[in-house]
Amino acid sequence: MSQVINGLVLGGVYALVALGYTLVYGILLMINFAHGDVMMVGGFTGFFALQFFMALGWLEGSAALVALALILIVAAGMFGSVLTGVTLERVAYRPLRGAPRLVPLISAIGASLFLQYSVLLIFGVSPRVYQKPALIEGGFRAGGVFIPYTGLIIFVTSLFLMLMLYLIVQRTKLGRAMRAVAEDKGTAALMGIDVDRVIVFTFILGSALAGAAGVMLGFHNTVVKFNSGFIPGLKAFTAAVLGGIGNIPGAMVGALLLGVIEAIGPSALGIPTEYKDIIAFTVLVLILIFRPSGLLGEVVSEKRA
């Protein structure tokens, strides 16, 4: 049971990143392979925000003050990721919007390497260590199963953010504009929709979720380094494909399912836990072979289909 809980925590992180993949794919029909590194930048931003509030003494104050500091740290991580994601869209993706689909994909891979090695050159190879405040240190037992506070916070916060994203896309005016642009950019522009503004807003949403995931993963794993977004980014992409790329509920379901598979797979198969990455990417290969549209189906416009 404890492995299932660990899987749900991992799945919550994967889901926040996978939603960024699926949003960008739904609008631009491209895979933003730099998205995991956008999450990493959020993790670094959150780390420095944590150091700032520790210097102010907020993390040693009352529970309300600590909670406020944690919220501001997550917000700082989201801001860092949003700034990075919007810059990438403006510099690396917008000039290539009319190019063949392979060209922005190569640009995304280059952007990923640029972010990784820029952070490596600036901050060095040594990982930065998140220090948990006493408020979220440890955990509790439920039915004999130990649940860490950070794991519970990640899972609940992930569900809340995913629900908010779904409501924004389905219930708001800007969400309707996003769906219109995803269906047909030209027709949407003729109807008075600012396509560039909608695409930037899409990157803002996806990057904000990735930034929140980066900070929460930093608190859970206690470390962040220059390449800490690479593997989670690939896992999130796997989750998006598993659920159905372009499908928001599919990304959520695929991420939670992948997290559970990765957590219980090694023990179920009787193999070392180091092989969990192999299991995750084997799932990707099998899905691409036997059900490339994903469990809940790929969401694309009729024109693209």
Side-chain angles (χ1 to χ4, degrees):
M1 187 63 185
S2 61
Q3 292 300 324
V4 174
I5 292 173
N6 290 334
L8 290 175
V9 172
L10 274 178
V13 174
Y14 294 159
L16 291 178
V17 184
L19 287 169
Y21 278 110
T22 208
L23 282 172
V24 172
Y25 183 86
I27 296 289
L28 296 177
L29 207 64
M30 67 162 283
I31 303 298
N32 180 16
F33 276 119
H35 198 60
D37 302 292
V38 171
M39 181 192 81
M40 174 269 296
V41 172
F44 266 92
T45 308
F47 168 78
F48 290 115
L50 171 64
Q51 299 303 305
F52 174 74
F53 286 112
M54 287 179 63
L56 292 180
W58 284 31
L59 298 182
E60 298 175 358
S62 64
L65 190 61
V66 174
L68 176 61
L70 291 175
I71 292 172
L72 292 175
I73 289 168
V74 173
M78 295 171 75
F79 176 78
S81 288
V82 165
L83 190 61
T84 304
V86 171
T87 303
L88 285 180
E89 189 279 329
R90 186 67 184 88
V91 175
Y93 303 146
R94 188 179 298 185
L96 304 175
R97 196 173 294 167
R101 290 174 60 181
L102 183 61
V103 176
L105 177 64
I106 295 172
S107 179
I109 295 172
S112 171
L113 294 174
F114 173 80
L115 288 176
Q116 285 187 45
Y117 288 100
S118 295
V119 172
L120 173 63
L121 289 172
I122 295 171
F123 301 114
V125 70
S126 300
R128 296 297 196 272
V129 180
Y130 271 73
Q131 293 179 272
K132 297 180 185 178
L135 185 66
I136 60 173
E137 186 71 51
F140 63 97
R141 291 195 172 274
V145 178
F146 179 77
I147 301 175
Y149 289 131
T150 53
L152 179 64
I153 292 170
I154 287 174
F155 185 69
V156 173
T157 304
S158 298
L159 289 180
F160 172 75
L161 291 175
M162 287 185 285
L163 177 62
M164 292 302 296
L165 173 67
Y166 186 77
L167 292 176
I168 288 172
V169 172
Q170 296 295 327
R171 305 287 184 177
T172 66
K173 182 178 179 180
L174 200 47
R176 288 194 295 272
M178 289 172 63
R179 286 182 278 130
V181 171
E183 188 70 25
D184 191 316
K185 294 185 186 64
T187 303
L190 291 174
M191 298 295 291
I193 295 174
D194 188 336
V195 174
D196 286 339
R197 177 171 170 265
V198 170
I199 291 174
V200 168
F201 184 72
T202 302
F203 272 86
I204 288 174
L205 281 178
S207 300
L209 294 177
V215 175
M216 291 190 293
L217 194 61
F219 274 116
H220 190 63
N221 293 340
T222 70
V223 295
V224 61
K225 54 183 179 178
F226 76 98
N227 61 352
S228 60
F230 181 69
I231 293 298
L234 289 180
K235 300 278 186 69
F237 170 66
T238 302
V241 173
L242 176 61
I245 192 75
N247 189 324
I248 291 178
M252 302 177 192
V253 172
L256 294 174
L257 182 59
L258 180 66
V260 172
I261 290 173
E262 184 180 330
I264 68 176
S267 59
L269 297 174
I271 60 177
T273 56
E274 289 79 8
Y275 290 98
K276 66 183 189 305
D277 292 343
I278 296 177
I279 294 173
F281 296 124
T282 299
V283 169
L284 173 62
V285 173
L286 292 176
I287 286 293
L288 290 174
I289 292 173
F290 295 107
R291 190 172 173 81
S293 61
L295 296 177
L296 300 188
E298 180 179 350
V299 175
V300 294
S301 68
E302 294 180 6
K303 182 178 179 181
R304 293 170 183 169

